[in-house]
Amino acid sequence: MDARVTKLGLVIFDCDGVLVDSEPLSLACLTANLNRIGVAIDLATVRARFTGTSMVSIMGHIAHDYGVAAPPDFVETVKAETLALFDAELRAMRGVAEAVASLDPPVCVASSSDPVRLRHSLSLTGLLPLFGDRVFSSAQVARGKPFPDLFLFAADRMAVEPAACLVIEDSVPGVTAARSAGMQVAGFTGGGHWDHDPAGVDLLRAGAARIFSDFSDLPAVLAEA
């Protein structure tokens, strides 16, 4: 960020795959349910195509690309099974609570998850008090990631100019959305779903300024912003 323009005024965190290690659980659940309704897709493809994407967008892709119309209760079934998995297995990313609590700039969350799942995840892992009501969902905007709407909405609600925001993201759609919003992005690859590309090459190609995989490195990431 050019110090002549503005200084860092807000750190925006994605939730799934950044604050909580949820993606291995949710992607496995989504894959199993897609297979159940006749979509021939494997976990690697689901991870590559749908990480960081809202269910509305996912179902649009499934109908268009696979010609499968999901039953009316499909999305709610996936949500319910995912929440049950979270209750049993969801964990916060190692070191994230301490890292967020130590930050000087204001913080918020901007996630593709629906509001119920989002707050449930943060509550389960003890992270919600760090953010309070500064938690924003793609359900609050017209278009989810990779469009910039959610990040612009979060910045507006936090009264911070987009150029003064740093986004922490783990997905290509998320990085693309943040860059389209005129924000800096750091890619996080510490989640359990990033074993295929620990260097974050896809995130760098999408526009992330740097990659980190451990929240002990967050102060250095902010120092470079």
Side-chain angles (χ1 to χ4, degrees):
M1 183 178 299
D2 190 337
R4 294 171 298 176
V5 177
T6 186
K7 66 177 182 178
L8 183 62
L10 176 66
V11 182
I12 303 176
F13 291 88
D14 179 37
C15 182
D16 296 295
V18 173
L19 296 174
V20 299
D21 200 8
S22 56
E23 294 293 15
L25 303 176
S26 59
L27 294 173
C29 184
L30 176 59
T31 303
N33 277 280
L34 288 173
N35 293 163
R36 177 176 59 80
I37 64 170
V39 179
I41 192 169
D42 59 20
L43 179 59
T45 303
V46 169
R47 180 187 62 207
R49 295 193 63 186
F50 301 138
T51 298
T53 305
S54 69
M55 281 298 288
V56 172
S57 296
I58 290 170
M59 298 321 298
H61 283 295
I62 292 301
H64 180 271
D65 297 342
Y66 292 87
V68 175
D73 64 344
F74 179 81
V75 171
E76 291 307 315
T77 297
V78 173
K79 288 180 179 180
E81 291 184 8
T82 300
L83 290 180
L85 269 178
F86 284 6
D87 286 342
E89 301 182 39
L90 186 65
R91 300 290 182 272
M93 291 294 177
R94 181 170 60 90
V96 69
E98 297 82 0
V100 173
S102 70
L103 296 184
D104 288 329
V107 298
C108 71
V109 179
S111 169
S112 292
S113 287
D114 68 83
V116 172
R117 169 174 157 173
L118 180 53
R119 298 190 75 85
H120 187 68
S121 297
L122 294 172
S123 296
L124 273 176
T125 53
L127 299 178
L128 187 59
L130 293 170
F131 299 99
D133 61 356
R134 304 181 308 278
V135 177
F136 308 108
S137 163
S138 61
Q140 296 174 277
V141 296
R143 304 177 301 175
K145 305 171 188 177
F147 296 100
D149 303 32
L150 177 58
F151 290 127
L152 292 173
F153 177 81
D156 180 68
R157 285 294 184 92
M158 296 293 293
V160 178
E161 290 295 320
C165 298
L166 171 67
V167 176
I168 311 298
E169 261 289 355
D170 72 305
S171 72
V172 169
V175 173
T176 301
R179 294 299 296 148
S180 296
M183 300 176 181
Q184 275 202 103
V185 194
F188 179 73
T189 59
H193 62 301
W194 265 104
D195 55 345
H196 65 293
D197 180 21
V201 173
D202 288 344
L203 301 183
L204 290 170
R205 287 174 177 162
R210 67 164 293 173
I211 303 298
F212 72 109
S213 61
D214 193 300
F215 273 100
S216 64
D217 294 327
L218 187 59
V221 171
L222 267 64
E224 293 182 4

